[in-house]
Short mmCIF file of all heavy atoms in Angstrom, two decimals:
data_model
loop_
_atom_site.label_atom_id
_atom_site.label_comp_id
_atom_site.label_asym_id
_atom_site.label_seq_id
_atom_site.Cartn_x
_atom_site.Cartn_y
_atom_site.Cartn_z
N MET A 18 39.59 -4.49 5.15
CA MET A 18 38.35 -4.31 5.87
C MET A 18 37.53 -5.60 5.80
O MET A 18 37.50 -6.26 4.78
CB MET A 18 37.53 -3.19 5.28
CG MET A 18 38.10 -1.80 5.49
SD MET A 18 36.99 -0.57 4.87
CE MET A 18 36.22 -0.09 6.38
N LYS A 19 36.87 -5.86 6.89
CA LYS A 19 36.04 -7.05 6.96
C LYS A 19 34.60 -6.68 6.57
O LYS A 19 34.06 -5.69 7.03
CB LYS A 19 36.07 -7.60 8.37
CG LYS A 19 35.35 -8.89 8.52
CD LYS A 19 35.51 -9.41 9.94
CE LYS A 19 34.75 -10.70 10.09
NZ LYS A 19 34.84 -11.22 11.44
N ARG A 20 34.03 -7.49 5.69
CA ARG A 20 32.66 -7.23 5.25
C ARG A 20 31.68 -7.69 6.32
O ARG A 20 31.79 -8.79 6.84
CB ARG A 20 32.39 -7.97 3.94
CG ARG A 20 31.02 -7.68 3.42
CD ARG A 20 30.80 -8.32 2.09
NE ARG A 20 29.41 -8.07 1.73
CZ ARG A 20 28.86 -8.43 0.61
NH1 ARG A 20 29.58 -9.06 -0.27
NH2 ARG A 20 27.62 -8.17 0.36
N GLU A 21 30.73 -6.84 6.62
CA GLU A 21 29.72 -7.19 7.61
C GLU A 21 28.66 -8.08 6.99
O GLU A 21 28.45 -8.08 5.78
CB GLU A 21 29.07 -5.92 8.15
CG GLU A 21 30.02 -5.01 8.88
CD GLU A 21 29.33 -3.77 9.38
OE1 GLU A 21 28.10 -3.78 9.52
OE2 GLU A 21 30.03 -2.78 9.63
N GLU A 22 27.99 -8.82 7.83
CA GLU A 22 26.90 -9.68 7.36
C GLU A 22 25.65 -8.83 7.15
O GLU A 22 25.26 -8.06 8.02
CB GLU A 22 26.62 -10.78 8.38
CG GLU A 22 27.75 -11.76 8.54
CD GLU A 22 27.97 -12.60 7.30
OE1 GLU A 22 26.98 -12.96 6.64
OE2 GLU A 22 29.14 -12.88 6.98
N TYR A 23 25.02 -8.97 6.00
CA TYR A 23 23.80 -8.25 5.68
C TYR A 23 22.65 -9.22 5.50
O TYR A 23 22.87 -10.37 5.13
CB TYR A 23 23.97 -7.44 4.39
CG TYR A 23 24.99 -6.33 4.52
CD1 TYR A 23 26.27 -6.47 4.02
CD2 TYR A 23 24.65 -5.14 5.15
CE1 TYR A 23 27.19 -5.44 4.14
CE2 TYR A 23 25.56 -4.12 5.29
CZ TYR A 23 26.83 -4.27 4.77
OH TYR A 23 27.74 -3.26 4.91
N ILE A 24 21.45 -8.75 5.77
CA ILE A 24 20.30 -9.61 5.54
C ILE A 24 19.91 -9.51 4.07
O ILE A 24 20.14 -8.51 3.40
CB ILE A 24 19.12 -9.25 6.46
CG1 ILE A 24 18.65 -7.82 6.24
CG2 ILE A 24 19.50 -9.47 7.91
CD1 ILE A 24 17.40 -7.48 7.03
N SER A 25 19.28 -10.55 3.57
CA SER A 25 18.91 -10.60 2.16
C SER A 25 17.69 -9.72 1.90
O SER A 25 16.98 -9.31 2.81
CB SER A 25 18.60 -12.04 1.75
OG SER A 25 17.44 -12.49 2.40
N ASP A 26 17.44 -9.45 0.63
CA ASP A 26 16.27 -8.66 0.25
C ASP A 26 14.98 -9.37 0.63
O ASP A 26 14.00 -8.73 1.02
CB ASP A 26 16.29 -8.38 -1.25
CG ASP A 26 17.37 -7.41 -1.65
OD1 ASP A 26 17.89 -6.70 -0.76
OD2 ASP A 26 17.71 -7.35 -2.85
N ASP A 27 14.97 -10.69 0.51
CA ASP A 27 13.77 -11.45 0.88
C ASP A 27 13.46 -11.28 2.36
O ASP A 27 12.29 -11.14 2.74
CB ASP A 27 13.96 -12.94 0.56
CG ASP A 27 14.04 -13.20 -0.93
OD1 ASP A 27 13.48 -12.39 -1.70
OD2 ASP A 27 14.64 -14.22 -1.32
N ALA A 28 14.49 -11.28 3.20
CA ALA A 28 14.27 -11.10 4.63
C ALA A 28 13.74 -9.70 4.94
O ALA A 28 12.88 -9.53 5.80
CB ALA A 28 15.56 -11.35 5.39
N VAL A 29 14.23 -8.71 4.22
CA VAL A 29 13.74 -7.33 4.42
C VAL A 29 12.27 -7.24 4.04
O VAL A 29 11.47 -6.63 4.77
CB VAL A 29 14.59 -6.34 3.59
CG1 VAL A 29 13.97 -4.96 3.62
CG2 VAL A 29 16.01 -6.30 4.11
N VAL A 30 11.89 -7.85 2.92
CA VAL A 30 10.49 -7.82 2.48
C VAL A 30 9.60 -8.54 3.49
O VAL A 30 8.52 -8.05 3.83
CB VAL A 30 10.36 -8.45 1.07
CG1 VAL A 30 8.91 -8.64 0.69
CG2 VAL A 30 11.07 -7.58 0.05
N LYS A 31 10.04 -9.68 3.99
CA LYS A 31 9.25 -10.42 4.98
C LYS A 31 9.06 -9.60 6.25
O LYS A 31 7.98 -9.56 6.82
CB LYS A 31 9.92 -11.75 5.31
CG LYS A 31 9.77 -12.78 4.23
CD LYS A 31 10.45 -14.08 4.61
CE LYS A 31 10.37 -15.08 3.48
NZ LYS A 31 11.06 -16.33 3.79
N ARG A 32 10.12 -8.93 6.69
CA ARG A 32 10.02 -8.10 7.90
C ARG A 32 9.10 -6.91 7.68
O ARG A 32 8.32 -6.55 8.57
CB ARG A 32 11.40 -7.62 8.32
CG ARG A 32 12.27 -8.71 8.87
CD ARG A 32 13.62 -8.19 9.26
NE ARG A 32 14.48 -9.25 9.77
CZ ARG A 32 15.63 -9.06 10.35
NH1 ARG A 32 16.11 -7.83 10.50
NH2 ARG A 32 16.34 -10.07 10.78
N ALA A 33 9.16 -6.29 6.51
CA ALA A 33 8.29 -5.16 6.21
C ALA A 33 6.83 -5.59 6.17
O ALA A 33 5.95 -4.91 6.72
CB ALA A 33 8.69 -4.51 4.90
N ASN A 34 6.56 -6.73 5.52
CA ASN A 34 5.18 -7.23 5.47
C ASN A 34 4.67 -7.57 6.86
O ASN A 34 3.50 -7.29 7.18
CB ASN A 34 5.11 -8.46 4.56
CG ASN A 34 5.24 -8.10 3.10
OD1 ASN A 34 4.98 -6.96 2.71
ND2 ASN A 34 5.65 -9.04 2.29
N ALA A 35 5.50 -8.15 7.70
CA ALA A 35 5.10 -8.47 9.07
C ALA A 35 4.81 -7.20 9.86
O ALA A 35 3.85 -7.15 10.63
CB ALA A 35 6.19 -9.29 9.76
N ALA A 36 5.63 -6.16 9.67
CA ALA A 36 5.40 -4.90 10.38
C ALA A 36 4.08 -4.26 9.97
O ALA A 36 3.34 -3.75 10.81
CB ALA A 36 6.56 -3.94 10.11
N VAL A 37 3.76 -4.31 8.68
CA VAL A 37 2.50 -3.75 8.20
C VAL A 37 1.32 -4.54 8.76
O VAL A 37 0.32 -3.97 9.21
CB VAL A 37 2.46 -3.73 6.66
CG1 VAL A 37 1.07 -3.41 6.14
CG2 VAL A 37 3.47 -2.74 6.12
N LYS A 38 1.44 -5.87 8.76
CA LYS A 38 0.37 -6.71 9.29
C LYS A 38 0.12 -6.42 10.77
O LYS A 38 -1.02 -6.29 11.21
CB LYS A 38 0.73 -8.19 9.10
CG LYS A 38 -0.34 -9.14 9.49
CD LYS A 38 0.05 -10.57 9.19
CE LYS A 38 -1.04 -11.52 9.61
NZ LYS A 38 -0.68 -12.91 9.35
N ILE A 39 1.18 -6.27 11.54
CA ILE A 39 1.05 -5.97 12.97
C ILE A 39 0.38 -4.60 13.16
O ILE A 39 -0.49 -4.44 14.02
CB ILE A 39 2.43 -6.01 13.66
CG1 ILE A 39 2.92 -7.45 13.74
CG2 ILE A 39 2.38 -5.38 15.05
CD1 ILE A 39 4.37 -7.58 14.15
N GLU A 40 0.79 -3.63 12.37
CA GLU A 40 0.21 -2.28 12.49
C GLU A 40 -1.28 -2.28 12.15
O GLU A 40 -2.08 -1.62 12.82
CB GLU A 40 0.97 -1.31 11.60
CG GLU A 40 0.60 0.13 11.81
CD GLU A 40 0.95 0.66 13.17
OE1 GLU A 40 1.90 0.17 13.79
OE2 GLU A 40 0.27 1.61 13.62
N LEU A 41 -1.68 -3.03 11.12
CA LEU A 41 -3.10 -3.11 10.76
C LEU A 41 -3.90 -3.78 11.87
O LEU A 41 -5.01 -3.34 12.20
CB LEU A 41 -3.27 -3.85 9.43
CG LEU A 41 -2.79 -3.11 8.20
CD1 LEU A 41 -2.88 -4.01 6.97
CD2 LEU A 41 -3.56 -1.84 7.99
N GLU A 42 -3.37 -4.84 12.46
CA GLU A 42 -4.06 -5.51 13.56
C GLU A 42 -4.18 -4.57 14.77
O GLU A 42 -5.21 -4.56 15.44
CB GLU A 42 -3.31 -6.78 13.95
CG GLU A 42 -3.42 -7.88 12.93
CD GLU A 42 -2.57 -9.09 13.27
OE1 GLU A 42 -1.91 -9.08 14.33
OE2 GLU A 42 -2.56 -10.03 12.48
N LYS A 43 -3.15 -3.80 15.02
CA LYS A 43 -3.17 -2.84 16.13
C LYS A 43 -4.25 -1.79 15.91
O LYS A 43 -5.01 -1.45 16.83
CB LYS A 43 -1.80 -2.18 16.24
CG LYS A 43 -1.67 -1.14 17.32
CD LYS A 43 -0.25 -0.60 17.32
CE LYS A 43 -0.20 0.82 17.79
NZ LYS A 43 1.14 1.39 17.68
N LYS A 44 -4.35 -1.27 14.68
CA LYS A 44 -5.36 -0.25 14.39
C LYS A 44 -6.77 -0.83 14.51
O LYS A 44 -7.68 -0.15 14.98
CB LYS A 44 -5.14 0.34 13.01
CG LYS A 44 -3.93 1.25 12.98
CD LYS A 44 -3.83 2.00 11.68
CE LYS A 44 -2.61 2.85 11.68
NZ LYS A 44 -2.88 4.25 11.77
N LYS A 45 -6.95 -2.10 14.09
CA LYS A 45 -8.26 -2.72 14.24
C LYS A 45 -8.62 -2.89 15.71
O LYS A 45 -9.76 -2.68 16.11
CB LYS A 45 -8.29 -4.07 13.53
CG LYS A 45 -8.41 -3.96 12.04
CD LYS A 45 -8.51 -5.31 11.38
CE LYS A 45 -8.58 -5.16 9.87
NZ LYS A 45 -8.69 -6.46 9.19
N ALA A 46 -7.64 -3.28 16.53
CA ALA A 46 -7.89 -3.46 17.96
C ALA A 46 -8.22 -2.13 18.64
O ALA A 46 -9.03 -2.10 19.57
CB ALA A 46 -6.67 -4.10 18.61
N LEU A 47 -7.61 -1.04 18.19
CA LEU A 47 -7.86 0.28 18.77
C LEU A 47 -9.05 0.98 18.13
O LEU A 47 -9.35 2.12 18.48
CB LEU A 47 -6.62 1.16 18.64
CG LEU A 47 -5.39 0.69 19.43
CD1 LEU A 47 -4.19 1.55 19.09
CD2 LEU A 47 -5.68 0.73 20.91
N ASP A 48 -9.73 0.32 17.20
CA ASP A 48 -10.91 0.85 16.50
C ASP A 48 -10.57 2.13 15.73
O ASP A 48 -11.32 3.10 15.74
CB ASP A 48 -12.06 1.09 17.47
CG ASP A 48 -13.39 1.20 16.73
OD1 ASP A 48 -13.51 0.62 15.64
OD2 ASP A 48 -14.31 1.87 17.25
N ILE A 49 -9.42 2.13 15.06
CA ILE A 49 -8.99 3.25 14.22
C ILE A 49 -9.23 2.84 12.77
O ILE A 49 -8.77 1.79 12.34
CB ILE A 49 -7.50 3.57 14.44
CG1 ILE A 49 -7.26 3.97 15.90
CG2 ILE A 49 -7.04 4.66 13.50
CD1 ILE A 49 -5.80 4.11 16.25
N PRO A 50 -9.95 3.64 11.99
CA PRO A 50 -10.18 3.27 10.60
C PRO A 50 -8.88 3.32 9.80
O PRO A 50 -7.99 4.11 10.07
CB PRO A 50 -11.17 4.32 10.09
CG PRO A 50 -11.05 5.45 11.02
CD PRO A 50 -10.60 4.90 12.34
N ILE A 51 -8.79 2.44 8.81
CA ILE A 51 -7.62 2.39 7.94
C ILE A 51 -8.05 2.74 6.52
O ILE A 51 -9.22 2.63 6.17
CB ILE A 51 -6.93 1.02 7.97
CG1 ILE A 51 -7.89 -0.10 7.56
CG2 ILE A 51 -6.34 0.73 9.34
CD1 ILE A 51 -7.25 -1.45 7.41
N VAL A 52 -7.11 3.14 5.71
CA VAL A 52 -7.37 3.47 4.31
C VAL A 52 -6.96 2.27 3.47
O VAL A 52 -5.85 1.76 3.61
CB VAL A 52 -6.60 4.73 3.88
CG1 VAL A 52 -6.82 5.01 2.41
CG2 VAL A 52 -7.02 5.91 4.72
N VAL A 53 -7.87 1.81 2.61
CA VAL A 53 -7.64 0.64 1.77
C VAL A 53 -7.82 1.03 0.32
O VAL A 53 -8.75 1.77 -0.02
CB VAL A 53 -8.63 -0.49 2.14
CG1 VAL A 53 -8.43 -1.70 1.26
CG2 VAL A 53 -8.52 -0.85 3.59
N TYR A 54 -6.92 0.54 -0.53
CA TYR A 54 -7.02 0.79 -1.97
C TYR A 54 -7.37 -0.51 -2.66
O TYR A 54 -6.67 -1.52 -2.52
CB TYR A 54 -5.70 1.33 -2.51
CG TYR A 54 -5.69 1.54 -4.00
CD1 TYR A 54 -6.44 2.55 -4.58
CD2 TYR A 54 -4.93 0.75 -4.85
CE1 TYR A 54 -6.45 2.76 -5.94
CE2 TYR A 54 -4.91 0.95 -6.21
CZ TYR A 54 -5.67 1.95 -6.76
OH TYR A 54 -5.67 2.15 -8.11
N ASP A 55 -8.47 -0.52 -3.41
CA ASP A 55 -8.89 -1.68 -4.17
C ASP A 55 -8.33 -1.56 -5.58
O ASP A 55 -8.72 -0.66 -6.33
CB ASP A 55 -10.42 -1.77 -4.20
CG ASP A 55 -10.93 -3.05 -4.84
OD1 ASP A 55 -10.10 -3.87 -5.29
OD2 ASP A 55 -12.16 -3.22 -4.87
N ARG A 56 -7.41 -2.42 -5.96
CA ARG A 56 -6.74 -2.32 -7.25
C ARG A 56 -7.67 -2.61 -8.43
O ARG A 56 -7.51 -2.03 -9.49
CB ARG A 56 -5.56 -3.28 -7.32
CG ARG A 56 -4.42 -2.86 -6.45
CD ARG A 56 -3.25 -3.78 -6.63
NE ARG A 56 -2.17 -3.37 -5.75
CZ ARG A 56 -0.96 -3.83 -5.84
NH1 ARG A 56 -0.66 -4.72 -6.75
NH2 ARG A 56 -0.03 -3.42 -5.01
N GLN A 57 -8.62 -3.49 -8.23
CA GLN A 57 -9.52 -3.85 -9.34
C GLN A 57 -10.43 -2.70 -9.72
O GLN A 57 -10.59 -2.38 -10.90
CB GLN A 57 -10.33 -5.08 -8.99
CG GLN A 57 -9.48 -6.34 -8.89
CD GLN A 57 -10.31 -7.54 -8.50
OE1 GLN A 57 -11.42 -7.41 -8.02
NE2 GLN A 57 -9.74 -8.72 -8.71
N THR A 58 -11.04 -2.06 -8.73
CA THR A 58 -11.96 -0.96 -9.02
C THR A 58 -11.27 0.39 -8.98
O THR A 58 -11.87 1.40 -9.32
CB THR A 58 -13.12 -0.95 -8.01
OG1 THR A 58 -12.60 -0.76 -6.70
CG2 THR A 58 -13.92 -2.24 -8.07
N GLN A 59 -10.01 0.43 -8.52
CA GLN A 59 -9.22 1.65 -8.38
C GLN A 59 -9.94 2.69 -7.52
O GLN A 59 -10.04 3.85 -7.85
CB GLN A 59 -8.84 2.21 -9.74
CG GLN A 59 -7.96 1.28 -10.52
CD GLN A 59 -7.47 1.87 -11.82
OE1 GLN A 59 -7.94 2.92 -12.25
NE2 GLN A 59 -6.52 1.21 -12.45
N THR A 60 -10.48 2.19 -6.39
CA THR A 60 -11.22 3.02 -5.46
C THR A 60 -10.54 3.02 -4.10
O THR A 60 -9.99 2.00 -3.67
CB THR A 60 -12.66 2.49 -5.31
OG1 THR A 60 -13.23 2.36 -6.62
CG2 THR A 60 -13.52 3.42 -4.50
N ILE A 61 -10.60 4.14 -3.40
CA ILE A 61 -10.00 4.28 -2.08
C ILE A 61 -11.13 4.28 -1.04
O ILE A 61 -12.12 4.99 -1.20
CB ILE A 61 -9.19 5.58 -1.98
CG1 ILE A 61 -8.13 5.61 -3.08
CG2 ILE A 61 -8.55 5.72 -0.61
CD1 ILE A 61 -7.52 6.97 -3.30
N TYR A 62 -10.96 3.48 0.03
CA TYR A 62 -11.98 3.32 1.06
C TYR A 62 -11.41 3.61 2.43
O TYR A 62 -10.22 3.41 2.68
CB TYR A 62 -12.49 1.87 1.09
CG TYR A 62 -13.17 1.41 -0.16
CD1 TYR A 62 -12.50 0.63 -1.09
CD2 TYR A 62 -14.50 1.71 -0.40
CE1 TYR A 62 -13.12 0.18 -2.23
CE2 TYR A 62 -15.13 1.27 -1.55
CZ TYR A 62 -14.44 0.50 -2.45
OH TYR A 62 -15.06 0.06 -3.58
N HIS A 63 -12.27 4.06 3.34
CA HIS A 63 -12.00 4.05 4.78
C HIS A 63 -12.65 2.78 5.29
O HIS A 63 -13.85 2.59 5.10
CB HIS A 63 -12.66 5.24 5.47
CG HIS A 63 -11.72 6.33 5.79
ND1 HIS A 63 -12.06 7.34 6.64
CD2 HIS A 63 -10.46 6.59 5.42
CE1 HIS A 63 -11.06 8.17 6.76
NE2 HIS A 63 -10.07 7.74 6.01
N GLU A 64 -11.89 1.92 5.92
CA GLU A 64 -12.44 0.67 6.44
C GLU A 64 -12.33 0.68 7.96
O GLU A 64 -11.25 0.85 8.52
CB GLU A 64 -11.66 -0.52 5.87
CG GLU A 64 -12.26 -1.85 6.25
CD GLU A 64 -11.57 -3.00 5.56
OE1 GLU A 64 -11.25 -2.89 4.38
OE2 GLU A 64 -11.34 -4.01 6.25
N SER A 65 -13.47 0.49 8.64
CA SER A 65 -13.47 0.49 10.09
C SER A 65 -13.27 -0.94 10.61
O SER A 65 -13.28 -1.90 9.86
CB SER A 65 -14.76 1.09 10.64
OG SER A 65 -15.87 0.38 10.15
N SER A 66 -13.09 -1.07 11.91
CA SER A 66 -12.77 -2.38 12.50
C SER A 66 -13.92 -3.38 12.36
O SER A 66 -13.68 -4.58 12.40
CB SER A 66 -12.40 -2.21 13.96
OG SER A 66 -13.47 -1.66 14.67
N ASP A 67 -15.16 -2.90 12.20
CA ASP A 67 -16.28 -3.82 12.04
C ASP A 67 -16.46 -4.27 10.60
O ASP A 67 -17.35 -5.06 10.29
CB ASP A 67 -17.58 -3.21 12.58
CG ASP A 67 -18.00 -1.96 11.83
OD1 ASP A 67 -17.25 -1.52 10.93
OD2 ASP A 67 -19.06 -1.41 12.17
N GLY A 68 -15.62 -3.78 9.69
CA GLY A 68 -15.64 -4.23 8.30
C GLY A 68 -16.40 -3.33 7.35
O GLY A 68 -16.43 -3.60 6.15
N THR A 69 -17.03 -2.27 7.85
CA THR A 69 -17.76 -1.38 6.96
C THR A 69 -16.78 -0.52 6.17
O THR A 69 -15.75 -0.10 6.69
CB THR A 69 -18.72 -0.47 7.74
OG1 THR A 69 -17.98 0.28 8.70
CG2 THR A 69 -19.79 -1.28 8.43
N ARG A 70 -17.13 -0.29 4.90
CA ARG A 70 -16.28 0.51 4.02
C ARG A 70 -17.04 1.74 3.55
O ARG A 70 -18.20 1.66 3.18
CB ARG A 70 -15.90 -0.29 2.78
CG ARG A 70 -14.82 -1.29 2.99
CD ARG A 70 -14.47 -1.93 1.66
NE ARG A 70 -13.20 -2.61 1.77
CZ ARG A 70 -12.55 -3.10 0.74
NH1 ARG A 70 -13.05 -3.00 -0.48
NH2 ARG A 70 -11.40 -3.70 0.90
N VAL A 71 -16.34 2.86 3.56
CA VAL A 71 -16.90 4.11 3.05
C VAL A 71 -15.96 4.59 1.95
O VAL A 71 -14.77 4.78 2.17
CB VAL A 71 -16.99 5.18 4.17
CG1 VAL A 71 -17.51 6.49 3.61
CG2 VAL A 71 -17.86 4.68 5.31
N GLU A 72 -16.51 4.78 0.75
CA GLU A 72 -15.71 5.23 -0.37
C GLU A 72 -15.32 6.69 -0.17
O GLU A 72 -16.16 7.53 0.11
CB GLU A 72 -16.49 5.07 -1.67
CG GLU A 72 -15.70 5.46 -2.90
CD GLU A 72 -16.48 5.26 -4.18
OE1 GLU A 72 -17.40 4.44 -4.21
OE2 GLU A 72 -16.16 5.95 -5.15
N ILE A 73 -14.03 6.98 -0.34
CA ILE A 73 -13.58 8.36 -0.17
C ILE A 73 -12.98 8.93 -1.44
O ILE A 73 -12.72 10.12 -1.51
CB ILE A 73 -12.57 8.50 0.99
CG1 ILE A 73 -11.36 7.61 0.80
CG2 ILE A 73 -13.24 8.22 2.31
CD1 ILE A 73 -10.27 7.84 1.81
N GLY A 74 -12.76 8.10 -2.46
CA GLY A 74 -12.20 8.63 -3.69
C GLY A 74 -11.88 7.55 -4.70
O GLY A 74 -11.99 6.36 -4.41
N THR A 75 -11.48 8.00 -5.87
CA THR A 75 -11.04 7.09 -6.92
C THR A 75 -9.70 7.55 -7.46
O THR A 75 -9.29 8.69 -7.25
CB THR A 75 -12.05 7.03 -8.08
OG1 THR A 75 -12.23 8.35 -8.60
CG2 THR A 75 -13.39 6.47 -7.64
N ARG A 76 -9.07 6.69 -8.18
CA ARG A 76 -7.78 7.02 -8.77
C ARG A 76 -7.99 8.04 -9.88
O ARG A 76 -8.85 7.88 -10.73
CB ARG A 76 -7.14 5.76 -9.32
CG ARG A 76 -5.77 5.97 -9.88
CD ARG A 76 -5.16 4.67 -10.27
NE ARG A 76 -3.89 4.93 -10.93
CZ ARG A 76 -3.15 4.00 -11.44
NH1 ARG A 76 -3.53 2.74 -11.37
NH2 ARG A 76 -2.02 4.29 -12.02
N MET A 77 -7.19 9.09 -9.86
CA MET A 77 -7.38 10.16 -10.83
C MET A 77 -6.68 9.88 -12.15
O MET A 77 -7.20 10.16 -13.21
CB MET A 77 -6.88 11.48 -10.24
CG MET A 77 -7.70 11.94 -9.08
SD MET A 77 -7.10 13.46 -8.37
CE MET A 77 -7.34 14.59 -9.70
N ARG A 78 -5.47 9.35 -12.10
CA ARG A 78 -4.69 9.13 -13.31
C ARG A 78 -4.65 7.67 -13.65
O ARG A 78 -4.55 6.82 -12.78
CB ARG A 78 -3.27 9.63 -13.12
CG ARG A 78 -3.19 11.09 -12.83
CD ARG A 78 -1.75 11.50 -12.73
NE ARG A 78 -1.65 12.82 -12.16
CZ ARG A 78 -0.72 13.20 -11.33
NH1 ARG A 78 0.21 12.37 -10.95
NH2 ARG A 78 -0.71 14.42 -10.86
N LYS A 79 -4.70 7.38 -14.93
CA LYS A 79 -4.59 6.00 -15.39
C LYS A 79 -3.49 5.92 -16.42
O LYS A 79 -3.28 6.85 -17.20
CB LYS A 79 -5.91 5.53 -16.00
CG LYS A 79 -7.04 5.45 -14.99
CD LYS A 79 -8.27 4.90 -15.58
CE LYS A 79 -9.37 4.86 -14.54
NZ LYS A 79 -10.61 4.33 -15.06
N GLY A 80 -2.78 4.82 -16.43
CA GLY A 80 -1.70 4.63 -17.38
C GLY A 80 -0.39 5.18 -16.89
O GLY A 80 -0.31 5.81 -15.84
N ARG A 81 0.63 4.93 -17.66
CA ARG A 81 1.97 5.41 -17.30
C ARG A 81 2.12 6.87 -17.69
O ARG A 81 1.46 7.37 -18.58
CB ARG A 81 3.01 4.57 -18.03
CG ARG A 81 2.99 3.14 -17.58
CD ARG A 81 4.08 2.38 -18.27
NE ARG A 81 4.09 1.02 -17.79
CZ ARG A 81 4.29 -0.02 -18.54
NH1 ARG A 81 4.53 0.11 -19.81
NH2 ARG A 81 4.28 -1.23 -18.02
N TYR A 82 3.05 7.52 -17.02
CA TYR A 82 3.30 8.94 -17.27
C TYR A 82 3.68 9.18 -18.72
O TYR A 82 3.16 10.08 -19.37
CB TYR A 82 4.40 9.44 -16.33
CG TYR A 82 4.74 10.90 -16.55
CD1 TYR A 82 3.89 11.89 -16.10
CD2 TYR A 82 5.90 11.27 -17.21
CE1 TYR A 82 4.18 13.22 -16.28
CE2 TYR A 82 6.20 12.60 -17.41
CZ TYR A 82 5.35 13.57 -16.93
OH TYR A 82 5.64 14.90 -17.13
N SER A 83 4.56 8.34 -19.27
CA SER A 83 5.00 8.52 -20.66
C SER A 83 3.84 8.35 -21.64
O SER A 83 3.79 9.03 -22.67
CB SER A 83 6.12 7.54 -20.99
OG SER A 83 5.68 6.21 -20.82
N GLU A 84 2.89 7.47 -21.32
CA GLU A 84 1.73 7.29 -22.20
C GLU A 84 0.80 8.50 -22.14
O GLU A 84 0.24 8.90 -23.15
CB GLU A 84 0.98 6.02 -21.80
CG GLU A 84 1.77 4.75 -22.05
CD GLU A 84 1.12 3.53 -21.45
OE1 GLU A 84 0.13 3.68 -20.69
OE2 GLU A 84 1.62 2.43 -21.72
N ARG A 85 0.65 9.09 -20.95
CA ARG A 85 -0.23 10.27 -20.83
C ARG A 85 0.39 11.46 -21.58
O ARG A 85 -0.32 12.23 -22.21
CB ARG A 85 -0.44 10.62 -19.37
CG ARG A 85 -1.28 9.61 -18.63
CD ARG A 85 -1.75 10.12 -17.29
NE ARG A 85 -0.73 10.75 -16.50
CZ ARG A 85 -0.05 10.15 -15.52
NH1 ARG A 85 -0.25 8.90 -15.26
NH2 ARG A 85 0.85 10.83 -14.83
N ILE A 86 1.70 11.61 -21.51
CA ILE A 86 2.38 12.74 -22.18
C ILE A 86 2.30 12.56 -23.69
O ILE A 86 2.09 13.53 -24.42
CB ILE A 86 3.85 12.83 -21.70
CG1 ILE A 86 3.89 13.15 -20.21
CG2 ILE A 86 4.61 13.86 -22.48
CD1 ILE A 86 3.21 14.44 -19.82
N ALA A 87 2.43 11.33 -24.17
CA ALA A 87 2.40 11.07 -25.61
C ALA A 87 1.04 11.41 -26.19
O ALA A 87 0.93 11.90 -27.33
CB ALA A 87 2.77 9.62 -25.89
N LYS A 88 -0.04 11.19 -25.43
CA LYS A 88 -1.38 11.49 -25.91
C LYS A 88 -1.60 12.99 -26.05
O LYS A 88 -2.30 13.45 -26.94
CB LYS A 88 -2.42 10.93 -24.95
CG LYS A 88 -2.52 9.42 -25.00
CD LYS A 88 -3.56 8.91 -24.03
CE LYS A 88 -3.60 7.40 -24.00
NZ LYS A 88 -4.54 6.88 -23.02
N LYS A 89 -0.98 13.78 -25.15
CA LYS A 89 -1.15 15.24 -25.20
C LYS A 89 -0.39 15.86 -26.37
O LYS A 89 -0.81 16.85 -26.92
CB LYS A 89 -0.66 15.87 -23.89
CG LYS A 89 -1.55 15.56 -22.72
CD LYS A 89 -1.02 16.24 -21.47
CE LYS A 89 -1.88 15.90 -20.27
NZ LYS A 89 -1.34 16.50 -19.05
N ALA A 90 0.74 15.27 -26.71
CA ALA A 90 1.61 15.86 -27.75
C ALA A 90 1.11 15.63 -29.14
O ALA A 90 0.15 15.32 -29.57
CB ALA A 90 3.01 15.27 -27.66
#
């Protein structure tokens, strides 16, 4: 059997990032709000095309699952 040519993992990541960037630009152009997660504050926002942010929630769990289970036991 002949092995087919495959794209590398780096190429897949670049294509995925480009697809996400295009989708975000499309939503901004159509004035559809997007959901943004801020890693530093661990807060979830609705962000509209004009740049305004409305907080809709915060991260509920912190730490790894194994660390949370160890604290309970």
